[in-house]
């Protein structure tokens, strides 16, 4: 007889069943955990492989999106409104493509060297006994190349003295030079700068090219010349910075660059870009760290709208009230595209963002007021759908998953990401600033590192000038050579005439003529 209060003995079969159920539950939890860990580990690996070996574009195949959207349509609570698919390709205005036939004419500005081939004298005589008359000619053009050549410029300064008293010796003054007593002419200095900062040719490689022409110039000499040019054009760089800071809309971004330390070793410095997309000017800055002090100091006098990624270093600027944050939709899109590779739930968000870019491409050539009106009509409803989808995903996705990270970024940046619709001058993203940094990304694959922070500052200054030249359509070599000839005697109060934009307006037309 069992005692009252004691538990009855369990059936061994029931005990084994309970144990099995507990074990199954434990294993299911473990499988779920491992699947989540596997997904979180595979996602950065897939992204890395895509960046290393795949296409760099973030466009998504519309067929892939359509398939994912069809799968979402079968889930409860899915969006019932049809989504117009967009491949992400830039639409081409209607026209008929004509396949080019024949050779394109060679540029008219290239010098021509005429080589005439005449008919032999015997064939100039007609069988009838008369001499044939020249009635025309056939002209065939061939493009030839002659390697760049060096020229030694001898500057002769006459001296005079009295032949009677042998006193009062006078000598013609030396012409002003941007770099006093330099062996290099302005054209050679401009060529060295363009070779390194436009064509990404390291100075040791450039020295080898010169050696093949029989001119022995060491890498150290070329480094000194680059430093001398940077010193000479520093006032121009300062003026360019003042003009860019005075703009009321800037785009900014940054990238890393390896810098050699004074005590050996190396560290990761940063190059920052500040682009005035409306004024078509750009300035680069160099800092030793990625801390907020760099952009905070550079933008201390800036008042206006700043378009950037979600870097926390800009938060102090926004807190002052003098700078308005404009978000970058490309950064948000990038996260959802990466998440879509492993989670089809991101399909609708990717499609909506692609439609926003479709609106932007359709309005690209419109004046700011008309572009703003187009955005209010077409982009605002898309943003409302995007917000609805964001809220739906936020309630279902895992916070630490790639899609959860994308949703969190979109939520945190939502206010800043919408501000472009109220100003037709603004871009939907800061891709133009990122494009300015491509020259640095390509260059560092060749020159690998900056020799010091002083070298990084020089690189930032010279990148500012050559990239600003590109924005206004000025050949960097022609600009640098002319400016180096002028700067020694140019009045400082008119230094604005020597920025790439100022030079194009003041001297560019004359130079082109």
């Amino acid at each position: 007889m069992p005692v009252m209060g004691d538990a009855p003995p369990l059936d061994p079969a029931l005990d084994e069943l309970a144990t099995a159920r507990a074990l199954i539950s434990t294993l299911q939890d473990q499988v779920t955990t491992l699947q989540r860990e596997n997904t979180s580990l595979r996602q950065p690996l897939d992204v890395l492989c895509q960046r290393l070996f795949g296409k760099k574009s973030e466009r998504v195949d519309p067929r892939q999106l359509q398939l994912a959207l069809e799968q979402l349509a079968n889930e409860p609570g899915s969006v019932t409104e049809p989504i117009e698919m967009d491949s992400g390709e830039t639409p081409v205005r209607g026209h008929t493509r004509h396949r080019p036939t024949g050779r394109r004419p060679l540029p008219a500005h290239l010098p021509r060297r005429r080589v005439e081939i005449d008919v032999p004298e015997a064939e100039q005589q007609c069988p009838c006994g008369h001499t044939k008359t020249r009635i025309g000619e056939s002209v065939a053009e061939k493009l030839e190349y002659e390697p760049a050549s060096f020229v030694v410029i001898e500057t002769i300064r006459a001296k005079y003295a009295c032949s009677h008293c042998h006193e009062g010796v006078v000598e013609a003054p030396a012409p002003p030079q941007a770099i006093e007593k330099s062996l290099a002419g302005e054209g050679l200095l401009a060529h060295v700068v363009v070779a390194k900062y436009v064509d990404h040719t390291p100075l040791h490689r450039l020295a080898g090219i010169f050696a093949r022409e029989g001119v022995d110039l060491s890498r150290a000499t070329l480094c000194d010349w680059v430093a001398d040019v940077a010193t000479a054009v520093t006032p121009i760089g300062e003026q360019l910075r003042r003009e860019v800071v005075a703009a009321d809309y800037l785009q900014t971004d940054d990238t890393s660059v390896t810098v050699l330390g004074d005590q050996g070793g190396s560290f990761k410095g940063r190059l920052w870009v500040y682009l005035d997309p409306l004024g078509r000017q750009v300035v680069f800055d160099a800092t030793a760290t990625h801390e907020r002090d760099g952009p905070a100091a550079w933008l201390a006098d800036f008042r206006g709208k700043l378009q950037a990624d979600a870097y926390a270093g800009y938060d102090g600027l926004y807190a002052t009230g003098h700078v308005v944050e404009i978000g970058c939709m490309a950064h948000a899109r990038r996260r959802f595209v990466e998440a879509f590779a492993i989670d089809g739930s991101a399909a609708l968000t990717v499609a909506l963002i692609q439609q926003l870019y479709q609106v932007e491409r359709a309005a690209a050539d419109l004046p700011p007021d008309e572009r703003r009106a187009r955005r209010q009509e077409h982009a605002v409803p898309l943003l409302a759908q995007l917000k609805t989808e964001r809220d739906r995903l936020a309630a279902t996705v895992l916070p630490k998953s790639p899609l959860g990270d994308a949703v969190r970024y979109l939520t945190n940046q939502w206010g800043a990401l919408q501000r472009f619709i109220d100003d037709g001058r603004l871009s939907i993203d800061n891709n133009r600033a990122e494009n300015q940094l491509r020259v640095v990304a390509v260059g560092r694959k060749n020159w690998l590192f900056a020799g010091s922070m002083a070298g990084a500052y020089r690189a930032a200054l010279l990148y500012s000038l050559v990239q600003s030249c590109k924005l206004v359509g000025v050949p960097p070599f022609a600009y640098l050579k002319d400016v180096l000839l002028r700067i020694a005697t140019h009045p400082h109060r008119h230094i604005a005439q020597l920025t790439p934009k100022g030079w194009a307006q003041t001297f560019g037309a004359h130079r082109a003529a």
Side-chain angles (χ1 to χ4, degrees), residues 403-430:
L403 185 54
D405 175 71
V407 170
R408 183 168 58 255
Y409 182 93
L410 189 63
T411 301
N412 294 340
Q413 291 291 108
W414 186 246
L417 287 171
Q418 296 184 90
R419 293 192 177 110
F420 78 98
I421 62 175
D422 296 322
D423 190 341
R425 303 173 309 148
L426 305 183
S427 298
I428 191 173
D429 55 41
N430 71 333

Side-chain angles (χ1 to χ4, degrees), residues 329-347:
M329 189 65 72
H331 282 80
R333 177 183 60 186
R334 185 173 302 141
R335 284 171 164 80
F336 280 98
V337 169
E338 293 174 352
F340 177 65
I342 59 173
D343 191 342
S345 300

Side-chain angles (χ1 to χ4, degrees), residues 256-310:
S256 63
V257 59
T258 302
V259 182
L260 299 185
D262 296 335
Q263 307 299 325
S266 64
F267 59 91
K268 288 292 183 181
R270 309 295 295 190
L271 279 182
W272 306 75
V273 62
Y274 302 94
L275 172 68
D276 175 8
L278 304 179
R280 295 184 301 164
Q281 299 190 108
V282 63
V283 174
F284 289 74
D285 187 35
T287 60
T289 68
H290 194 214
E291 297 176 357
R292 68 182 64 189
D293 296 347
W298 204 96
L299 295 166
D301 298 327
F302 173 68
R303 302 291 184 271
K305 299 176 180 179
L306 182 68
Q307 192 162 33
D309 56 20

